[in-house]
Amino acid sequence: MVTITLKEGQLSLAEMRAALKTPLQVKLDPGCLSRIETSAKTVDSVLEQEQTVYGINTGFGSLAQTKIARDKLAELQQNLILSHASGTGPLLDDGVVRLILVLKLNSLIRGFSGIRMKTVEYLQALLEADALPCIPAKGSVGASGDLAPLAHLSMVLLGEGEARIDGEYIAAWELLRKLGLEPLELQPKEGLALLNGTQVSTSLALHGLFAAEDCLASSIVAGSLSVEASLSSYSPFDERIHEVRGLQGQKDVAANFRQLLNESEINASHENCGHVQDPYSLRCQPQVLGACLDQMRFAAQQLRIEANAVTDNPLVFPEEGEILSGGNFHAEPVAMIADNLALAIAEIGALSERRISLLTDPGFSKLPAFLSEDPGLHSGFMVAQITSASLASENKSLAHPASVDSLPTSANQEDHVSMATFAARRLGEMSENTAKILGIELLAACQGIDFRRPLTTSYLLEEAHQMVRQRVPHLDQDRPLAPDIEDASVIIRRGLFNGWMRPQLLSD
C-alpha cells in the first residue's frame, strides 16, 4: 500500500497516478488541523451574528434568496446531499473514485471550506479502508462544480447509498458500522463544501492525461519500429532540424526517436538506396507528437494546480472573519484542458493508423501484401487496419470540443456551465481507442521486422519486439486477431514504455 501525506498545495502528479492504481494510506500534515478548526469556528461566528450567507443559512442555486431558520440548518445540509444525488449511467471506475476522494480531502484540509475535522476524518476513513462510494458517471455539467457525482460520494458519509470494497458492493449504513462510525450529522456549510468543487472533472481529466502519456510513449516506440520495418529514413530525426524550430516538445520527441533508432543492421542495409522522402506519418512524427506533448505538459501543469486548489463555494477566510461567495467551482479550465487532451489523443491514434496503412501496402513498404506469409490465401492484417481506421474515425467525433457547449441550469441562475465532466470523461474512451490502434501498429511493425530477418534493429527496439513476441506470436497464417490486439494493447495501457523515454515526457 502506498502512503501519501497531504500537505497544503503539494499533491504531486506521481501521487495522483498512484491513487488511480492502488489503495492508499493517507496521512494529514499536522499543520492542517488548526486551519480546519479555525475555518469551522468562523462559520459558527457568522451564524451567531445572524448574518445571511449563501449556502449556510439560505437555499441553493436560484433559491439563494430564501432564508432558512436556525433550527433547520443541519437538515438543510442533509437535504442538499440527498436531493443532489441524481446521477445516472455506469459507475465510475474504482481508481477514479479513489482519486476523487483524495482530491476532495486535499481541498478541504486547506482550511477555506468551513468543515469540521470530524468530517475530514470520515473521508480519511473511507480511503484507509479503500471503501469507494458508488458514483454514477453522468449528471454533472461542471458548474456549480460536480454536484451530482459528489453528492453520491457524500451521501455514503450519511449512511445512504452504496460503496465498493474489494470489488464487492456494500450498503453505506453497513459500511459505516463496519468502520465503527455512526452516520455523519452535517453541520452548517458542510454539505455544500462536500459536493461543491471540481474534483470529479479533475480526476477524470488526470486519468485521461496519464492514459495520453502511456499512448504517447508507446507511439514513439511503435513509430520507431514502423520506421525500421518500412525501411524509412533516419534523417528526419536529426537534431539540427528540430533545434532550428525550437519547440521543446518536438525536440524532446525527436531525441527519443534518436535514442531508439541507432546501430541498426536494418537501417545500414538501405543507407544508399536513393530513397528521398517518406510520407508524413513517418517523417513528421516529432512535429506531430511533439505538439501533442506540449499540450500534455501544459495540461499536467494546470491540472496539478487544480488538484491542489480550493474550488467549493462560498469560501471561508478566517483571518478576516469573512465568507465570500464566488465561482471557483466553475470547471472551465478543466474543460478546456480536456478538450486539448482530446485533440492530442486523437492525433496520436490518427498518425498511428496511417503508419499501419503504409506497412500493409506493398507498394510502399516492399513487404508482403497485408503482412501475410501467403497473400491471397491469407488476408493477414487487412481487417486489423480497417479496425484501426474505425477507431481513429471514432476519436475524431469524440474530439469535438465540449467546452463550447453550455445549457443554463437552476432556473438560469447557473446560466453558463463548463461541461468539464463529460469533456474529461470521454478521454478514457478515446485513450482506449488509441491504445488499441497502437496495439495493432506494434503487431504490424513487429511482423514487418520479422520479414526483415536475419537483419536486426537497434538494441532497444529488439527489446520492444521481444516484449510483443512474449505475448503474441508471429502471424504465419490467418487467425482471429482480436485477442492479439488486446494482448498488445495491454503493453500500452500498463505504460511499459514510459520509463524508456529520455527526456521524460511528464514530470512534477
Side-chain angles (χ1 to χ4, degrees), residues 21-40:
K21 291 186 174 182
T22 184
L24 300 170
Q25 183 178 15
V26 177
K27 297 181 179 180
L28 305 182
D29 180 68
C32 73
L33 178 60
S34 61
R35 295 195 301 269
I36 292 169
E37 291 178 343
T38 304
S39 180

Side-chain angles (χ1 to χ4, degrees), residues 181-194:
L181 301 172
E182 295 291 327
L184 184 63
E185 294 184 7
L186 296 173
Q187 297 302 303
K189 177 66 170 72
E190 290 192 315
L192 196 55
L194 286 168

Side-chain angles (χ1 to χ4, degrees), residues 13 17 205-220 248-250 253 288-304 336-349 427 431 434 438 498 501 503-508:
L13 289 175
R17 188 187 262 273
L206 283 162
H207 181 264
L209 170 68
F210 297 138
E213 181 187 15
D214 297 341
C215 287
L216 181 55
S218 300
S219 74
I220 293 171
Q248 193 61 49
Q250 179 178 323
V253 168
V288 177
L289 299 180
C292 294
L293 178 56
D294 285 334
Q295 292 299 320
M296 288 163 52
R297 285 174 170 169
F298 177 71
Q301 172 191 320
Q302 296 300 96
L303 289 175
R304 188 180 187 279
M336 288 188 171
I337 288 164
D339 282 344
N340 286 344
L341 284 173
L343 296 177
I345 293 168
E347 284 294 86
I348 292 168
L427 299 179
S431 60
T434 293
L438 289 165
N498 292 18
M501 298 296 108
Q504 191 176 349
L505 300 183
L506 298 183
S507 63
D508 282 317

Side-chain angles (χ1 to χ4, degrees), residues 172-498:
W173 64 267
E174 186 178 352
L175 169 64
L176 293 180
R177 186 176 65 180
K178 186 175 181 178
L179 298 179
L181 301 172
E182 295 291 327
L184 184 63
E185 294 184 7
L186 296 173
Q187 297 302 303
K189 177 66 170 72
E190 290 192 315
L192 196 55
L194 286 168
L195 62 78
N196 210 252
T198 67
Q199 287 79 30
V200 175
S201 299
T202 304
S203 295
L204 287 165
L206 283 162
H207 181 264
L209 170 68
F210 297 138
E213 181 187 15
D214 297 341
C215 287
L216 181 55
S218 300
S219 74
I220 293 171
V221 175
S224 296
L225 285 166
S226 293
V227 166
E228 289 286 86
S230 62
L231 304 183
S232 293
S233 174
Y234 281 12
S235 64
F237 308 103
D238 189 296
E239 184 175 9
R240 292 167 293 181
I241 293 173
H242 308 287
E243 282 295 331
V244 297
R245 194 175 203 184
L247 294 170
Q248 193 61 49
Q250 179 178 323
K251 291 195 293 183
D252 289 350
V253 168
N256 273 294
F257 274 102
R258 290 194 299 275
Q259 177 194 205
L260 293 167
L261 296 168
N262 64 78
E263 299 182 11
S264 160
E265 292 180 0
I266 293 176
N267 180 256
S269 73
H270 63 97
E271 278 184 338
N272 301 308
C273 65
H275 183 67
V276 179
Q277 285 188 335
D278 300 310
Y280 291 175
S281 60
L282 291 159
R283 183 171 19 132
C284 299
Q285 290 184 84
Q287 287 79 6
V288 177
L289 299 180
C292 294
L293 178 56
D294 285 334
Q295 292 299 320
M296 288 163 52
R297 285 174 170 169
F298 177 71
Q301 172 191 320
Q302 296 300 96
L303 289 175
R304 188 180 187 279
I305 293 171
E306 187 74 1
N308 284 285
V310 182
T311 56
D312 61 286
N313 182 64
L315 296 178
V316 180
F317 295 91
E319 289 188 8
E320 297 84 2
E322 290 187 73
I323 301 177
L324 302 179
S325 185
N328 280 1
F329 52 72
H330 202 296
E332 190 79 2
V334 180
M336 288 188 171
I337 288 164
D339 282 344
N340 286 344
L341 284 173
L343 296 177
I345 293 168
E347 284 294 86
I348 292 168
L351 204 66
S352 176
E353 183 279 325
R354 288 291 78 213
R355 294 192 297 268
I356 297 166
S357 180
L358 291 173
L359 288 171
T360 57
D361 178 3
F364 171 76
S365 69
K366 304 301 186 289
L367 292 166
F370 300 107
L371 303 171
S372 171
E373 292 275 8
D374 189 359
L377 179 61
H378 296 284
S379 296
F381 281 78
M382 179 188 293
V383 179
Q385 187 274 323
I386 293 172
T387 297
S388 71
S390 75
L391 295 171
S393 183
E394 189 173 301
N395 271 355
K396 292 176 188 177
S397 295
L398 288 169
H400 180 83
S403 59
V404 296
D405 186 25
S406 178
L407 282 174
T409 61
S410 193
N412 287 310
Q413 174 73 6
E414 298 158 6
D415 60 345
H416 181 277
V417 297
S418 71
M419 299 298 177
T421 323
F422 166 69
R425 177 164 48 83
R426 50 82 194 258
L427 299 179
E429 183 177 358
M430 293 185 68
S431 60
E432 181 62 23
N433 287 343
T434 293
K436 289 294 196 322
I437 297 169
L438 289 165
I440 294 169
E441 185 182 7
L442 282 176
L443 295 174
C446 286
Q447 185 84 355
I449 296 290
D450 291 344
F451 283 122
R452 303 298 182 192
R453 296 306 189 200
L455 298 175
T456 59
T457 180
S458 70
Y459 173 78
L460 281 175
L461 292 182
E462 285 292 337
E463 192 173 323
H465 180 275
Q466 184 179 9
M467 190 184 296
V468 173
R469 285 288 169 255
Q470 286 172 348
R471 291 166 171 80
V472 181
H474 175 80
L475 186 66
D476 54 0
Q477 60 184 11
D478 282 347
R479 63 174 182 257
L481 287 180
D484 295 356
I485 295 168
E486 176 57 32
D487 289 342
S489 65
V490 168
I491 296 172
I492 290 94
R493 288 200 298 271
R494 291 183 180 172
L496 298 184
F497 293 129
N498 292 18

